[in-house]
Every structure is written in C-alpha cells, then in structure tokens.
Amino acid sequence: MRWRMRARPGPAAALHWPQQGGHAPSGRQAAQAQRGARRLQPQAGEAGGSGGAAMAEDEGLVSVDYEVSGKVQGVFFRKYTQGEAKRLGLVGWVQNTSHGTVQGQIQGPTARVRELQEWLRKIGSPQSRISRAEFSNEKKIKALEHKEFQILK
C-alpha cells in the first residue's frame, strides 16, 4: 500500500496514510518519511520563515508574476500551488480570476522560483490540465515583500 507525506504549516510535516483498508508503513519506511519531512522545512536563511528579511547576497531574490490557463479552476490548483511553494520555501500568493485562469506572484531565491515556474508550466494539481503558463514582471528584489504564500479569494 502506498503512503505519502504532505508538508503542513508548523514545526514538522505530517505523515498521511491511506484511509481505506491501508496499512501503516513499516518502521523503516516511517523513519525514512520522517527524515524526508524534516528536509521539507525551510532551512535557516531560506524564504520560509524570514518574513521580509533579505537573503544572502549570492542567493539572489526574484519576484515573478504568473498566470496559468487551462483546466485550473475547481481542481484544487491554488491549494497545490500553495503547497509546492511552501515546500520550496517561497512566498507570494495565488488566486482564481474571473476569466477562468489562476494568477499570482512568486518571490524567493532564483533557483527555487525557477522550480515553481516549471511546476506551474508542466505539473499543477493532479486533476488540472495546463494549456499555458505565462510569467511577467520578473525583477530582482532585495527583500521579500510577503511573509508566506497565501491563497487569495
């Protein structure tokens, strides 16, 4: 039986096992998952909890706006985007638009922002079907302008 790990806000990630007749993983599998869960938490100096503080100069912070088209509403796209952004230690926001797309802003270290851009382009939520992801207004920033990654209504 497969099991999965989902990062949650707070000091540690939680483990989730299938509900319908599933068996909990062996002690070895649970220990491996716990080690993986600890790696999901932002490290000292990462965007996850810095609340607007500047990152190390060599990291380089960027801010990018995005809009994703396709089947992206009604498929938990915002929730999955928030989860992926938090996993990567990024801040910003995501919201549905009145014309059926999802838009938002990402801020954080350049390499991590690139990872989320790729995720927005190719993966998305399990039920989504992405037809296009556009990125605009990319700029270098000295400090994060958001404290966390939020879902806006």
Side-chain angles (χ1 to χ4, degrees):
M1 181 56 71
R2 294 195 49 107
W3 52 279
R4 63 188 170 150
M5 184 173 24
R6 182 176 1 159
R8 291 194 174 197
L15 296 175
H16 297 275
W17 288 276
Q19 297 298 317
Q20 61 272 17
H23 298 283
S26 69
R28 184 171 140 241
Q29 290 171 321
Q32 288 172 334
Q34 232 14 76
R35 283 193 298 277
R38 284 193 293 270
R39 284 194 297 269
L40 290 177
Q41 300 304 312
Q43 301 300 313
E46 283 189 53
S50 58
M55 303 292 280
E57 285 298 318
D58 58 328
E59 286 263 330
L61 295 175
V62 294
S63 177
V64 180
D65 295 341
Y66 62 91
E67 185 167 13
V68 183
S69 303
K71 183 181 176 187
V72 293
Q73 290 191 10
V75 292
F76 298 97
F77 195 90
R78 293 176 299 161
K79 181 179 177 183
Y80 277 85
T81 300
Q82 180 187 48
E84 187 67 10
K86 285 184 174 186
R87 184 186 74 76
L88 292 168
L90 300 172
V91 299
W93 55 272
V94 61
Q95 70 180 8
N96 286 339
T97 68
S98 60
H99 52 279
T101 64
V102 170
Q103 69 179 8
Q105 186 176 74
I106 314 163
Q107 293 184 349
T110 304
R112 298 284 176 98
V113 168
R114 297 289 178 254
E115 286 184 58
L116 187 58
Q117 286 178 301
E118 196 66 12
W119 185 90
L120 289 167
R121 232 183 244 115
K122 297 182 177 175
I123 301 173
S125 67
Q127 297 298 313
S128 67
R129 297 295 173 259
I130 299 165
S131 60
R132 186 176 73 240
E134 296 179 347
F135 302 94
S136 60
N137 300 324
E138 182 168 332
K139 60 185 176 185
K140 292 186 179 197
I141 55 175
K142 293 187 188 286
L144 300 173
E145 298 163 356
H146 306 281
K147 293 183 180 183
E148 60 187 359
F149 197 94
Q150 297 182 316
I151 296 174
L152 303 181
K153 302 293 179 196

